Structure formats: C-alpha cells, structure tokens
Amino acid sequence: MTHEKLLDSYAELAVRTGLNIQAGQQLLITAPLDAVTLVRRITEHAYKAGASLVTTIYADDETTLARYRYAPDAAFDTAADWLFKGMADAFRGGAARLAITGENPALLAGQDPGKLSRANKARSQAYRPALELITGFAINWCVIASATPAWAKSVFPGVPETEALDRLWQAIFACSKADLPDPIAAWKHHNAELLRRTEFLNQRRYRALKYSGPGTDLMLGLAEEHSWKGGGGKALNGVFCNANIPTEEVFTAPHREMVDGTVCSSKPLSYQGSLIEGIRVRFERGRIVEMTADKGADAFRDLISTDEGAARLGEVALVPHSSPISKSGIIFNNTLFDENAASHIAVGQSYTENIRDGSKRSKEELAALGANSSLVHVDWMIGSAELNVDGILADDTAEPLMRNGEWAI
Ligand code: ZN
Ligand code: ZN
C-alpha cells in the first residue's frame, strides 16, 4: 500500500474505531504542526461520519522553545486558563476529543528545570477541569500519533531524515493495525481478546499483585472494588470508543496506600520534553519514599513532587512482552507506544472507570476505596522478559499471572 493509502486508512481508523464520532458531534483535535497532513485526512473522515464542527489546536516546537529562551522569569507560572476552560466547556457540550502526539521527546531537555516544573504545574492546574472529564470518561476520546521529523530523529538517530520519518510511519501503521486489509475488523477482534483478559481478572478479584524481577520486588495492593479495563469502552455519553490506538494493556487502580517495595523502570520515560532513564523507587504504604534515576532524575523528582498524589500510584497495567510494539524492537520515546510494549504503572490520578460504578461515586468515596487524586498522570514502564507477576487472592494464595513477561493464564 502507498503511504497516502495507509495514512487515509489510519485516519479513518481514528475516526471510526478510535473516536466513533457521532452524527452532529463536535470534535476538538490537538496536534503538532507537523501533523497537519494527517489532521486534514482525519477532518475529512470526521465530516464524512457526520461531525458538525472540527476544531484543531496546533502546537509548534519552535514557539514552545522560544518561551524558554526569551520569556521573562515571572511568566512561567502562567497557563492559557481560558483555552483549557474552553476545552472543558466543549467536552461538557458533548464534543469528542482527539489528541495527536508526535512532539520532539527531547525538546525541553537542557532547559531550566525550575521553569519547566513551574510551567508544568501551572498548565496541569489550568487543565484539570478538562482532564477530569477525560479521566472520568465523560465523552468519547482517543489518542493517536503522527510521525514528525523531530520525533523520528530521536527514535532513529543517525538515519537520514526522510528514511527515519518513513520508518516511524511504518511502525505506527503496523502497531495500530492500519496496514491490515480491514483495520476496523481487526480492532473488533483485538477488543474481544482484551475483554476476555479483563473478565478473567475481574472475576478473580485479586487483592494485590506481586512483582519480581531484576531490581523489582513489589507488593502492589489493588483498590477495593477495582475494575480491570482494556481495549474499547463505553463513555458516559454512551459512545463506545478506543481511547488509545494502539493499546495492548489491561489496567486497573492500585490502592493509593498499599504499595510496598522496590521497582525499577525498564524503558526510558519521555516526560514533558525530558528523557528519564533507569528510574528506581521504593514505596512505603503507597508513597514513593526513595528515588534515583540514571538520567533525568530532577525531572522525575519534580514530577512526583507536583502534589501529594503524584508520589502515589493511579494505574497499574499488564502488557505481555510479546506485544507487537515490543516485538518491533523500537523504543519510541513516546508513552502511547512504549507503555504498550511493557507492563507499567502510573504515578498520579487514577481513572474513575477503574472503580466499579466509579462515575456514580463521590470523590470522598473513591478515595476511601483507595483511588488516587493528583494533577498529573504519568505512565512508566516496568515490564521486561524477566518480570514475573502473581495475583494475590483475599486468602493470600498466590496465582501466577505472568512468567518471564508473558501471560501465564
Ligand atoms: Zn496504561
Ligand atoms: Zn496511564
């Protein structure tokens, strides 16, 4: 298939399977400037599917950098509150949301960490009302990717730009199943497989997961009334959507106060323009009490210091080591892909949908069950071919869930 054909197939997949855009529904897209070709295709498919209005907000790496170079110091506590309020308004009004990632993962490496963390905090605070509608699954939403020259260069260093871009696109299409003859049917099948796993896990009702592997010895308690999710799901507006393309994970809510032991990262984490590698943390009663990293330790320390919940877990996800993303052998420096190559955990906010009837419960009820609350939600990878995971039943019996990174069930 030609690149044009693949791009079109991918755009249609995002609209039909990712968002499942409804007739008359508005669509809000955020995208890097370099993703404009993909955005045009998506916009076309969205209107063909009946969207009433498609609005895209572009971000540009160079203008982002200009702020760090030239803006006055006092400006770093500022965020575009009005924009995020508008986004929250759009979601409350029923708009669907598509985020296209593809930014340069190392864009802000080397910038003043103090400015970075202040800017991130201001942004997180301003974004919170809109983000809560996303994490609460109020509307149908989806995250996909666009290859961009800067991102491709970070994934394939030393490779000429056109070739790197082409290889990254091929990897995106393959991981997203957009290169198959019928991607939409392939996703139906994939969703059914993920649903089987979540049904098994939900029926076992493990109270904790026990992780062991090199540098990892962790007992991770699960929230009471936790619910495993994976693949597509129905948003509160009644629309069945796939929030991530690709997705290989099944995930649930850890108990914010019941995580103990040590764990280390198995892949680099790209966070707000910095690459963080070789993270090692120790948890005590749910909280990170010690941390080191081989690279980007300051960025990780800033992240977990954002607020009280940022040093606790909001998500735990199991992904087999043989996932297509892992098999590609590529380190994408982008969480949408890398989190689907390996089992992972996320510090910060938990998903309401990971607690049974979560959307009907108050914040206090959710917290009492062990759900976590924070301005941030950042996934990082802990899975590898050496990781073993046991499910711990209420009576403390251990059952093998994963052996050497693969499902044992
Ligand atoms: Zn995840
Ligand atoms: Zn996550």
Side-chain angles (χ1 to χ4, degrees), residues 57 156 185 276:
I57 300 164
F156 303 108
I276 309 173

Side-chain angles (χ1 to χ4, degrees), residues 63-371:
T63 40
T64 304
L65 271 183
R67 182 183 188 201
Y68 285 88
R69 286 189 187 133
Y70 307 116
D73 184 71
F76 287 86
D77 299 306
T78 310
D81 304 44
W82 53 272
L83 175 67
F84 296 113
K85 269 185 207 142
M87 286 171 77
D89 275 351
F91 302 155
R92 278 187 214 105
R97 161 93 166 104
L98 180 71
I100 302 179
T101 90
E103 57 289 331
N104 176 359
L107 181 70
L108 299 175
Q111 300 301 327
D112 177 354
K115 284 182 183 171
L116 277 169
S117 78
R118 283 163 58 208
N120 285 340
K121 187 157 189 180
R123 187 186 179 281
S124 300
Q125 270 162 352
Y127 188 35
R128 180 154 204 170
L131 185 66
E132 277 180 352
L133 294 164
I134 299 291
T135 56
F137 215 17
I139 46 145
N140 45 327
W141 59 273
C142 178
V143 186
I144 62 160
S146 171
T148 62
W151 179 25
K153 207 173 152 189
S154 95
V155 180
F156 303 108
V159 174
E161 185 177 299
T162 342
E163 191 194 327
L165 200 55
D166 194 50
R167 277 169 67 179
L168 185 54
W169 269 124
Q170 294 304 325
I172 292 172
F173 295 145
C175 294
S176 309
K177 308 184 197 298
D179 60 351
L180 298 180
D182 188 347
I184 293 171
W187 270 87
K188 275 203 178 117
H189 175 77
H190 183 55
N191 273 333
E193 289 289 301
L194 291 168
L195 184 66
R196 265 189 336 118
R197 295 240 183 266
T198 59
E199 280 175 344
F200 174 87
L201 292 163
N202 282 327
Q203 172 257 317
R204 299 306 290 154
R205 307 242 38 89
Y206 296 116
R207 68 162 182 82
L209 303 180
K210 187 176 168 14
Y211 290 77
S212 47
T216 291
D217 179 12
L218 186 73
M219 185 64 96
L220 187 152
L222 298 176
E224 291 170 51
E225 309 269 336
H226 67 268
S227 175
W228 287 89
K229 298 277 171 183
K234 204 185 244 187
L236 296 179
N237 65 357
V239 181
F240 187 95
C241 65
N242 273 276
N244 283 189
I245 290 185
T247 185
E248 303 289 334
E249 62 173 340
V250 294
F251 62 101
T252 194
H255 192 294
R256 61 189 294 278
E257 289 171 356
M258 293 188 189
V259 184
D260 287 276
T262 54
V263 63
C264 59
S265 66
S266 56
K267 284 179 190 283
L269 161 66
S270 168
Y271 173 68
Q272 309 269 26
S274 304
L275 276 182
I276 309 173
E277 292 177 45
I279 306 165
R280 282 174 301 276
V281 301
R282 189 166 68 79
F283 285 91
E284 240 176 60
R285 278 178 282 166
R287 196 163 200 289
I288 295 175
V289 290
E290 268 173 43
M291 75 127 296
T292 57
D294 296 336
K295 211 177 135 188
D298 288 344
F300 193 75
R301 197 170 295 113
D302 279 337
L303 164 65
I304 64 173
S305 316
T306 307
D307 52 25
E308 165 62 22
R312 297 178 183 275
L313 295 184
E315 179 195 335
V316 54
L318 298 175
V319 180
H321 186 66
S322 61
S323 91
I325 292 96
S326 174
K327 271 205 243 166
S328 77
I330 298 170
I331 294 184
F332 286 86
N333 300 331
N334 182 301
T335 303
L336 177 64
F337 290 83
D338 291 328
E339 76 159 347
N340 285 303
S343 290
H344 56 270
I345 48 182
V347 290
Q349 181 70 33
S350 44
Y351 288 103
T352 317
E353 57 168 334
N354 282 136
I355 303 284
R356 269 198 280 189
D357 299 323
S359 60
K360 294 181 197 131
R361 298 178 194 261
S362 67
K363 278 186 185 164
E364 293 70 27
E365 275 180 275
L366 290 170
L369 294 171

